Amino acid sequence: MNEYIKYFMEAFLGYFDEPKQIRKEKRRQRQAERPGFSFRWFGLLPWALRQLFHKR
């Protein structure tokens, strides 16, 4: 339990020690790497339907 608190505090303080600009850049990179809304919520179904109707 004590090790968990130590890890949590190190991560928490490490986050606040970084400059605000670097934190914003990391957040933008994570958001850019995330899949789109329809894929996250519905998986491959929207993609499959789009492919099916795009061919016609």
Side-chain angles (χ1 to χ4, degrees):
M1 179 80 173
N2 193 20
E3 292 177 14
Y4 178 72
I5 294 172
K6 181 180 175 183
Y7 169 76
F8 177 75
M9 289 304 293
E10 286 176 0
F12 183 75
L13 294 175
Y15 174 77
F16 281 104
D17 283 342
E18 287 183 340
K20 188 174 185 178
Q21 194 65 22
I22 293 176
R23 290 192 309 247
K24 283 186 176 185
E25 184 60 34
K26 284 184 179 181
R27 189 178 311 123
R28 274 192 230 117
Q29 286 177 349
R30 280 195 314 265
Q31 289 176 350
E33 292 172 357
R34 247 173 43 184
F37 173 79
S38 63
F39 186 79
R40 276 197 324 256
W41 281 90
F42 305 110
L44 290 175
L45 185 61
W47 177 80
L49 292 174
R50 199 172 326 139
Q51 292 297 322
L52 179 69
F53 291 114
H54 188 276
K55 289 182 179 180
R56 292 182 180 186

